[in-house]
Amino acid sequence: MPSEPNDQLQRSEAADQLRSALAQGYLPIRDVARSTGVNAVTLRAWERRYGLIVPHRTAKGHRLYSPQHVARIQAILGWLGRGVAVSQVKELLDSRQPLQPPADGGWRQLRGELLGHIAQLAERRLDESFNAALALYPLRTLVERLLWPLLGELQQRWQGQFGARLEQVFFFSWLRSKFATRIYHNNRQAGGAPLLLVNLGDAPMEPGLWLCAWLVSDSDCPVEVFDWPLPPAELALALEQIAPRALLLYADQALDGALLRRQLPRLHQQCQIPLLLAGPAAHIHRDVLAELALAADPLAAHAWLQRQGLLGPLEDSPCVN
């Protein structure tokens, strides 16, 4: 049985090794996840299943990533952004192939698989297929290549089809439950003022709103989601009590005249924090609402918030007077 002094010596040597590696520019997995946007679960899956990234290991088994590893992760993201399947990326990287035009990479097949599960109201199979993709791809890639196109295909499928409302309620309920659970756990880990997201539409469970919320939450930013429209006076009360860092309003349909021409411009003038209108309504009314920040889809909304420095932990969060 090892003696206590030997255990202490081993722990001390392991700590010295870790400090030395960090001083040389190596990063632990949590920092790599934060800087690249690829969560730790996905990084481990890339290593274990495909050998895409093989980090250094300390004596205690902690993963450490060099600047070259981080650059390789960025290259992987470049290929994934082009639609290449993760199983094909290693060969492309190792052969030093230049980035090619976007490809389907099997995404159409996966969308068809999910659509079939939705048509059969098969929640477990839907969950298993989505979880398998979630373990291998960064969230932004999943939204761009899988979820946002899938929503477009579903909207076309649901035009005048018997059973469309049933499929819609089933899928939107699953989607909101899935996202809300992950957002809840992310909120427990994130600090600072939240970003407030409000649904301006008439129907609850707006999927575009929840996609925005999950993308923001995945960027180490706490979120509050109000999945139902609020009267302007009560929205002002919510801003006063929550004191969010920014306000995102999401609308999937054209806005009515009063909201479009009076209430939104007034809210924009009175709001003491950044305000973004996201969703198809931002594109529909882009000429009328030229003074507002607009984003036509969840990916554009996330990119705007990122450019404004509104994601991640904030030391001095803005407040509403």
Side-chain angles (χ1 to χ4, degrees), residues 148-303:
W148 192 245
L150 176 64
L151 283 168
E153 293 174 14
L154 285 169
Q155 292 295 345
Q156 292 182 5
R157 171 182 170 83
W158 291 335
Q159 296 300 316
Q161 174 180 298
F162 178 74
R165 188 63 172 172
L166 174 61
E167 287 185 12
Q168 187 180 53
V169 171
F170 164 78
F171 179 62
F172 286 4
S173 299
W174 173 84
L175 195 72
R176 183 170 68 169
S177 174
K178 192 79 174 175
F179 289 4
T181 300
R182 293 183 177 275
I183 288 169
Y184 172 83
H185 289 293
N186 288 346
N187 278 350
R188 304 284 76 76
Q189 306 297 322
L195 187 139
L196 177 61
L197 301 97
V198 178
N199 181 11
L200 288 185
D202 295 328
M205 298 188 293
E206 171 53 55
L209 176 78
W210 285 100
L211 284 175
C212 287
W214 196 13
L215 283 165
V216 171
S217 176
D218 195 59
S219 299
D220 293 328
C221 175
V223 299
E224 291 284 347
V225 183
F226 288 179
D227 195 4
W228 199 270
L230 289 171
E234 295 188 19
L235 178 54
L237 179 61
L239 292 174
E240 179 182 344
Q241 294 188 353
I242 295 174
R245 64 180 69 187
L247 172 63
L248 187 153
L249 304 173
Y250 193 93
D252 184 59
Q253 304 290 335
L255 303 174
D256 65 51
L259 180 60
L260 177 64
R261 301 190 181 278
R262 292 197 303 274
Q263 296 169 357
L264 264 183
R266 186 181 304 120
L267 177 63
H268 180 235
Q269 292 174 358
Q270 296 174 350
C271 197
Q272 302 298 310
I273 57 174
L275 186 153
L276 173 67
L277 175 64
H283 180 73
I284 295 170
H285 301 300
R286 62 188 182 279
D287 295 331
V288 178
L289 299 173
E291 295 183 358
L292 271 68
L294 304 173
D297 58 56
L299 291 163
H302 181 263

Side-chain angles (χ1 to χ4, degrees), residues 2-317:
S3 64
E4 184 175 342
N6 285 338
D7 289 344
Q8 292 177 346
L9 179 61
Q10 290 175 359
R11 286 196 296 269
S12 177
E13 290 175 347
D16 289 342
Q17 181 188 18
L18 179 59
R19 282 193 292 269
S20 175
L22 295 177
Q24 296 175 46
Y26 288 86
L27 296 173
I29 194 168
R30 65 178 180 276
D31 291 346
V32 174
R34 185 177 297 114
S35 65
T36 63
V38 183
N39 65 46
V41 173
T42 299
L43 288 172
R44 295 189 192 102
W46 287 356
E47 174 189 352
R48 182 177 63 255
R49 297 181 59 176
Y50 301 108
L52 279 171
I53 298 291
V54 183
H56 300 290
R57 295 291 191 109
T58 69
K60 290 288 188 180
H62 298 298
R63 291 173 172 84
L64 293 174
Y65 296 79
S66 68
Q68 290 74 25
H69 287 134
V70 175
R72 187 173 172 89
I73 292 170
Q74 297 294 350
I76 293 169
L77 292 174
W79 281 112
L80 296 181
R82 293 284 177 170
V84 175
V86 67
S87 60
Q88 301 171 340
V89 171
K90 188 175 188 300
E91 181 180 352
L92 294 169
L93 287 175
D94 292 346
S95 62
R96 300 184 181 277
Q97 290 288 327
L99 285 177
Q100 301 296 324
D104 178 71
W107 291 106
R108 184 182 300 277
Q109 179 180 348
L110 181 54
R111 291 196 298 270
E113 181 180 317
L114 296 185
L115 197 150
H117 298 330
I118 294 166
Q120 296 169 8
L121 308 182
E123 181 179 7
R124 177 170 295 182
R125 293 199 295 274
L126 176 62
D127 213 47
E128 290 172 349
S129 296
F130 181 74
N131 286 343
L134 183 61
L136 295 177
Y137 293 95
L139 178 56
R140 186 174 179 86
T141 301
L142 281 181
V143 173
E144 180 179 11
R145 294 288 174 177
L146 180 63
L147 292 174
W148 192 245
L150 176 64
L151 283 168
E153 293 174 14
L154 285 169
Q155 292 295 345
Q156 292 182 5
R157 171 182 170 83
W158 291 335
Q159 296 300 316
Q161 174 180 298
F162 178 74
R165 188 63 172 172
L166 174 61
E167 287 185 12
Q168 187 180 53
V169 171
F170 164 78
F171 179 62
F172 286 4
S173 299
W174 173 84
L175 195 72
R176 183 170 68 169
S177 174
K178 192 79 174 175
F179 289 4
T181 300
R182 293 183 177 275
I183 288 169
Y184 172 83
H185 289 293
N186 288 346
N187 278 350
R188 304 284 76 76
Q189 306 297 322
L195 187 139
L196 177 61
L197 301 97
V198 178
N199 181 11
L200 288 185
D202 295 328
M205 298 188 293
E206 171 53 55
L209 176 78
W210 285 100
L211 284 175
C212 287
W214 196 13
L215 283 165
V216 171
S217 176
D218 195 59
S219 299
D220 293 328
C221 175
V223 299
E224 291 284 347
V225 183
F226 288 179
D227 195 4
W228 199 270
L230 289 171
E234 295 188 19
L235 178 54
L237 179 61
L239 292 174
E240 179 182 344
Q241 294 188 353
I242 295 174
R245 64 180 69 187
L247 172 63
L248 187 153
L249 304 173
Y250 193 93
D252 184 59
Q253 304 290 335
L255 303 174
D256 65 51
L259 180 60
L260 177 64
R261 301 190 181 278
R262 292 197 303 274
Q263 296 169 357
L264 264 183
R266 186 181 304 120
L267 177 63
H268 180 235
Q269 292 174 358
Q270 296 174 350
C271 197
Q272 302 298 310
I273 57 174
L275 186 153
L276 173 67
L277 175 64
H283 180 73
I284 295 170
H285 301 300
R286 62 188 182 279
D287 295 331
V288 178
L289 299 173
E291 295 183 358
L292 271 68
L294 304 173
D297 58 56
L299 291 163
H302 181 263
W304 184 87
L305 292 165
Q306 198 165 42
R307 289 195 302 271
Q308 301 303 309
L310 292 167
L311 302 179
L314 296 181
E315 293 183 2
D316 299 313
S317 299

